[in-house]
Amino acid sequence: MFDIGFWELLLIMVIGLVVLGPERLPTAIRTVRNWVRNVKSFSQNVQSELKEELRVHELHENLKKAEQANMENLAPDVAKSVAELKEAADMVNRPYADKSDSNKSSQSTEKQD
């Protein structure tokens, strides 16, 4: 990524040792390591969010195609996207249905007591 070789790293370490001294050098290395780790984590999060947004956009486009075709004689990829959207909608609605079913069953047991 930065195209830094062994000798360049060795030179940076020697300069760091001379400038910071042996007492503060480990702390500086840990700090830089944490910065790099945070930047990598941030970039991975951004990348995953972009991939998810692209997937949602593709599903949305396929849904528009399916609506234009009146949901008949769909291409396999469009039909798969519609099925994924239906499954996602069911998963969103299912927790509420489960809660209402459990509330009804608990209310009916309370009435019987």
Side-chain angles (χ1 to χ4, degrees), residues 21-105:
E23 298 86 25
R24 291 185 286 176
L25 186 62
T27 306
I29 291 173
R30 276 188 232 109
T31 303
V32 170
R33 184 184 64 202
N34 287 337
W35 288 347
V36 170
R37 185 179 295 148
N38 289 339
V39 168
K40 283 183 180 180
S41 174
F42 177 74
S43 66
Q44 288 174 349
N45 287 339
V46 169
Q47 185 178 14
S48 66
E49 287 180 15
L50 285 175
K51 284 182 181 178
E52 186 64 25
E53 284 295 321
L54 287 173
R55 189 179 80 80
V56 167
H57 181 69
E58 179 184 351
L59 288 173
H60 187 66
E61 290 295 320
N62 286 340
L63 184 60
K64 283 183 180 180
K65 288 179 187 176
E67 287 175 350
Q68 289 173 354
N70 293 327
M71 299 295 218
E72 297 174 0
N73 300 327
L74 300 176
D77 59 335
V78 176
K80 181 181 175 187
S81 295
V82 171
E84 286 179 13
L85 287 170
K86 286 181 181 179
E87 183 180 314
D90 288 341
M91 285 177 29
V92 169
N93 290 330
R94 198 173 302 138
Y96 299 114
D98 293 342
K99 288 181 182 178
S100 64
D101 290 342
S102 64
N103 287 340
K104 289 178 184 177
S105 63

